[in-house]
Structure formats: structure tokens, C-alpha cells
Amino acid sequence: CFFLLFSPIVPRDRHAVWASRKFTSPTDIISTVEFNHTGELLATGDKGGRVVIFQREQESKNQVHRRGEYNVYSTFQSHEPEFDYLKSLEIEEKINKIRWLPQQNAAYFLLSTNDKTVKLWKVSERDKRPEGYNLKDEEGRLRDPATITTLRVPVLRPMDLMVEATPRRVFANAHTYHINSISVNSDYETYMSADDLRINLWNFEITNQSFNIVDIKPANMEELTEVITAAEFHPHHCNTFVYSSSKGTIRLCDMRASALCDRHTKFFEEPEDPSNRSFFSEIISSISDVKFSHSGRCIMTRDYLTVKVWDLNMENRPVETYQVHDYLRSKLCSLYENDCIFDKFECVWNGSDSVIMTGSYNNFFRMFDRNTKRDVTLEASRENSKPRAILKPRKVCVGGKRRKDEISVDSLDFSKKILHTAWHPSENIIAVAATNNLYIFQDKVN
């Protein structure tokens, strides 16, 4: 395995554990990160179609401080590159999203998707093997029935623990455009998959058909003005979901109202300030991620420069707006030229919905405390992430004199970006994907 997992450490009051993948290939770039519902497992997907699952170390009396460490549990190839012969298009193996299902038995289940196909995987353990077959010998070859004179009862013998990943369902051929989101419903019987123009509803038991619940494709594609960028089910109400658009709007839909949810129940949009209008306004207002809070009361959205929190009962403006990297507003022209302006950053809540986290450039990531209104910039870097070291807050200087502990906005490395993050569902443990490196941070343990 090519993951080097170091002992827990972290930023500020957070201890970090980081796993580094020593690769140079583009296929090794991490494309999604997701904790399961208990936080004991952490799954990552990469551009090579691989899924790597980490398992949290169990606490021992001798090594209490090792409790936060995550070690590789299973690695498997989820998707392979394909070719659409009808459209003469290559289909990348890159894993766009991973979503866990709640654990019902000893096995774990997760959904993974590339641009076209969603797969349901079963991850299970095996530590026993059957021996003493009547019709087969020990090497598995069939025996001559004439040689069998006694009846044996097969027995289970202990063996080295083996973790197996098997595909249980393959949901294919339902999306014309690239899938950008999958979301498991709170009824745990259905899930939805969203592409640029359509959202489909699936039943976990039925792979050959899905139900189209949103379709924004115009009759004439020249009239296309916006695309779907993200979608998610409500955490508690199985009939409610939201989807965001490239125009910076969010639509909340109720599946009880009609079979095809083209007519939204609520429409969230912030009026644009005419004084801030520019050539880049439409691009930077495009929403790259949308997340319900765990309580289901709020929605969080991420656009290029900000994170916004919306109350479901107020559609005309967000209740909170956090500037992620406003110092880049003067750099939009160069960011447009190098295509960085089209980067899609994700955002996450902590378990109590009191803190928000999202990524930035130069391997920086930002945290915003909704109660105290304090924020901090931290860096996920191999250079300053020594085991059990406290990560210091970073500051970006815009013009003028630069202090010793500050970094100039002109010195930021835009090739180092944190697009994908995840937060443990109940503890202050976070996972941050920086290109082909995975960093895991946790609260400092005294």
C-alpha cells in the first residue's frame, strides 16, 4: 500500500494525522473524501477509479494517544475507464462522489460514482474458511463420487483476516451528462443522482430503471442558461431535496407536490449588488457545493469566494456570509486565464452545525465558528506537519508591508488546492485532501 500514515497531530487546537501518497501520476489525485455515519471509517476516491478505506484504530490501555489514528482497511478498483462508442467519448474512471449507507449488519455498504455509472459496494470481513467438502478435495477439484465412502461434515477453520469489496448493484445508462452528485435518502431505500441537466431517483433494489424528478434541459440547447451543480436530500424528510445551479440559485423541491419537480417549492437567491458587477460575476456566483445542516434547518452553499448559510424559512438572502479568500478578487483575471476560477470547492459542517470548513489555495483551508464569528486559516502541508505538532494559523497579506508570519497573495501556489474535505459526524476530526495527500486532523488530546 502506498499510504504512509503518521501519528496524530494538528493545527492550532487540532491534532493532525496525515497520510501521504507518494505519487506523481494524475490518477493518484484524490477526488472525494467521506466519513461513514459512525466516523470509524473514512473513504477516499481518486482520479484512477480507486477507493481506499481507512479504519480508525481502537483505543488500547497501553497506547491511549493512538485512538485517533486511521489505517488502511481496504483498497479496491471501483471504476475502470470506458468508451462510449455511440458518442465516441471516453468515460473517465475518476470517482466523483462516495456516499455511505448506514450500517445494518457486519458488512459496510457505500455508493461510488464516476461520470456515468453509480455502483453499490459491499465491504465485508472474512476470518474463517470452510474445509472438509465431500465432493471437492482440499484444492477445490471435484472428486470421483465412486471414491466417496463416508459422509463428512464441513467445518470452518480460522484464517487471516481478509477484507473483501464486492459490487452488489451497478446503476448505469441513465445519465447523458456527467454525474456531479449522489445523495442517499433518509428512507435508505432510495437515492438520487444528479448531472448537469437532470436528477434521477433510484431504488437500491432496481438497477435497470430510474425515475426522472428534475429536468431543466430546454427544447433548444441554444437557450440553455444554467446547469445543475449539486444536489442533496434533506437529512430527515425523505420527500425534500435541494439542488443548486451555476447561476448561484438554490431550489428546494417537495416530491409530494408532483412527480416531476420542475416547479420548486422554495427558491433561494441573493440579489446582486450592482456596484460589484463585473465580467466574472456570473462565474464566481456559480455554486459548487450545497449541504443541509445535520438539523435540517439550514442550507450551506459554497461559491468561488464565499460560503453562505441559508435559513429554510428565508429565501431572499442568506443569514450568514463568510469570505473564504476575498483577497483573490483582484486576481480574478489571472485566475480566469489559468482556469482556476472554475475550481469546485466543497464545504462541510461539523457534527453540531456550529463550525463550517472549506478549502482554498496554497493548501490552505478555512474554518468559521458560527457562534463566536471567529475564523482561522490553516495549512495542510508536509513541511510543517510533524507528528503531534500544533499547526499555526496562517495569514495572507494583501499589499503593503508583510509580517514575518504572513504570506503574500502574490506568493500563493494555485496548483496546490484543497477542494475536498470531510468532518467526523460526532468528533472534531477532519479529513483534508490536498492533491494526492490525505491529511487527518483531530482536536489536541491532553
Side-chain angles (χ1 to χ4, degrees):
C1 167
F2 22 70
F3 278 74
L4 305 174
L5 204 61
F6 288 72
S7 46
I9 44 191
V10 145
R12 189 111 165 236
D13 292 328
R14 304 203 145 61
H15 254 22
V17 180
W18 62 268
S20 167
R21 303 174 106 173
K22 291 189 173 179
F23 311 127
T24 54
S25 170
T27 59
D28 299 323
I29 295 173
I30 299 172
S31 54
T32 184
V33 186
E34 187 78 7
F35 280 102
N36 74 338
H37 289 73
T38 63
E40 292 302 302
L41 296 181
L42 171 66
T44 66
D46 64 24
K47 288 191 174 182
R50 294 179 295 265
V51 171
V52 179
I53 301 175
F54 295 90
Q55 185 179 47
R56 194 177 186 188
E57 283 285 314
Q58 296 301 313
E59 186 174 347
S60 66
K61 293 180 180 179
N62 299 331
Q63 296 174 310
V64 178
H65 70 276
R66 290 180 61 88
R67 169 60 179 151
E69 291 191 17
Y70 283 78
N71 291 319
V72 175
Y73 178 65
S74 176
T75 303
F76 59 93
Q77 189 72 31
S78 173
H79 288 71
E80 300 280 358
E82 299 174 51
F83 191 80
D84 188 333
Y85 292 97
L86 290 176
K87 299 180 180 177
S88 295
L89 287 175
E90 290 185 357
I91 301 172
E92 286 185 331
E93 65 269 37
K94 172 193 166 193
I95 308 296
N96 291 340
K97 286 285 186 285
I98 291 174
R99 290 292 180 264
W100 290 91
L101 277 69
Q103 189 177 4
Q104 304 291 339
N105 49 40
Y108 301 97
F109 289 86
L110 62 84
L111 287 171
S112 64
T113 183
N114 66 350
D115 286 341
K116 299 291 182 181
T117 305
V118 183
K119 294 183 180 182
L120 175 65
W121 289 88
K122 177 185 179 181
V123 181
S124 55
E125 296 181 356
R126 188 150 61 93
D127 59 0
K128 293 181 176 65
R129 68 171 182 271
E131 286 184 4
Y133 286 106
N134 289 284
L135 299 178
K136 291 189 291 185
D137 61 21
E138 298 304 324
E139 296 179 1
R141 293 174 297 195
L142 288 175
R143 297 169 62 188
D144 183 359
T147 65
I148 301 174
T149 58
T150 58
L151 183 66
R152 294 190 297 177
V153 178
V155 294
L156 292 174
R157 301 286 186 200
M159 60 175 278
D160 291 337
L161 180 67
M162 179 187 297
V163 181
E164 299 176 315
T166 52
R168 301 306 299 268
R169 304 277 189 279
V170 177
F171 306 90
N173 306 319
H175 285 277
T176 306
Y177 307 97
H178 292 177
I179 298 173
N180 55 47
S181 302
I182 51 175
S183 180
V184 179
N185 201 346
S186 59
D187 61 12
Y188 305 130
E189 294 181 2
T190 57
Y191 78 92
M192 69 177 173
S193 56
D195 64 25
D196 294 339
L197 297 178
R198 297 188 179 99
I199 299 177
N200 293 332
L201 182 69
W202 300 82
N203 187 292
F204 280 112
E205 300 299 322
I206 303 171
T207 61
N208 60 355
Q209 65 180 21
S210 61
F211 196 84
N212 182 228
I213 52 176
V214 172
D215 188 346
I216 65 169
K217 182 181 179 182
N220 180 4
M221 284 295 281
E222 292 181 0
E223 298 173 2
L224 182 67
T225 58
E226 63 180 337
V227 295
I228 297 168
T229 56
E232 187 175 67
F233 268 119
H234 191 282
H236 309 303
H237 304 311
C238 61
N239 54 282
T240 307
F241 67 94
V242 294
Y243 68 92
S244 58
S245 86
S246 57
K247 277 192 167 182
T249 61
I250 310 108
R251 292 171 174 84
L252 183 131
C253 301
D254 190 336
M255 292 190 290
R256 297 173 300 183
S258 62
L260 189 63
C261 300
D262 283 348
R263 293 184 180 178
H264 48 265
T265 304
K266 292 192 175 185
F267 182 77
F268 300 87
E269 182 179 28
E270 184 176 25
E272 186 183 12
D273 184 354
S275 62
N276 290 333
R277 180 75 184 170
S278 71
F279 171 78
F280 306 107
S281 293
E282 285 190 16
I283 301 174
I284 63 174
S285 66
S286 176
I287 294 173
S288 56
D289 196 16
V290 59
K291 293 276 174 62
F292 272 106
S293 60
H294 295 88
S295 67
R297 174 68 188 269
C298 299
I299 304 171
M300 172 170 57
T301 59
R302 170 70 206 263
D303 57 40
Y304 190 66
L305 295 177
T306 65
V307 172
K308 295 174 182 174
V309 177
W310 305 76
D311 190 306
L312 288 185
N313 296 322
M314 189 165 76
E315 303 170 49
N316 61 342
R317 60 185 173 85
V319 290
E320 300 164 24
T321 300
Y322 301 98
Q323 300 294 333
V324 179
H325 40 215
D326 199 53
Y327 46 78
L328 296 181
R329 199 174 287 275
S330 61
K331 301 282 183 183
L332 293 179
C333 189
S334 58
L335 290 166
Y336 177 79
E337 290 172 357
N338 62 19
D339 283 345
C340 284
I341 200 170
F342 301 106
D343 287 333
K344 300 185 184 305
F345 293 93
E346 296 176 3
C347 52
V348 291
W349 303 89
N350 72 336
S352 61
D353 299 331
S354 61
V355 183
I356 290 166
M357 177 174 64
T358 190
S360 182
Y361 293 105
N362 207 69
N363 280 358
F364 288 169
F365 59 98
R366 303 268 284 141
M367 288 184 174
F368 303 95
D369 190 312
R370 299 179 61 207
N371 297 325
T372 64
K373 302 304 178 185
R374 295 174 62 184
D375 63 90
V376 65
T377 302
L378 301 165
E379 182 180 6
S381 167
R382 295 186 62 184
E383 287 73 28
N384 59 15
S385 288
K386 296 177 182 178
R388 308 201 69 79
I390 303 297
L391 292 194
K392 298 177 181 178
R394 302 302 304 269
K395 290 185 179 180
V396 178
C397 167
V398 184
K401 282 191 175 183
R402 182 174 66 87
R403 294 182 181 177
K404 184 180 179 181
D405 58 340
E406 292 182 339
I407 181 170
S408 169
V409 68
D410 297 317
S411 304
L412 296 176
D413 188 343
F414 293 105
S415 65
K416 295 180 178 179
K417 58 192 81 170
I418 292 177
L419 302 177
H420 314 288
T421 56
W423 202 306
H424 190 288
S426 57
E427 298 182 36
N428 282 333
I429 298 177
I430 59 174
V432 175
T435 320
N436 61 349
N437 296 309
L438 174 66
Y439 298 83
I440 301 175
F441 300 91
Q442 69 178 95
D443 268 345
K444 181 179 177 183
V445 180
N446 294 320

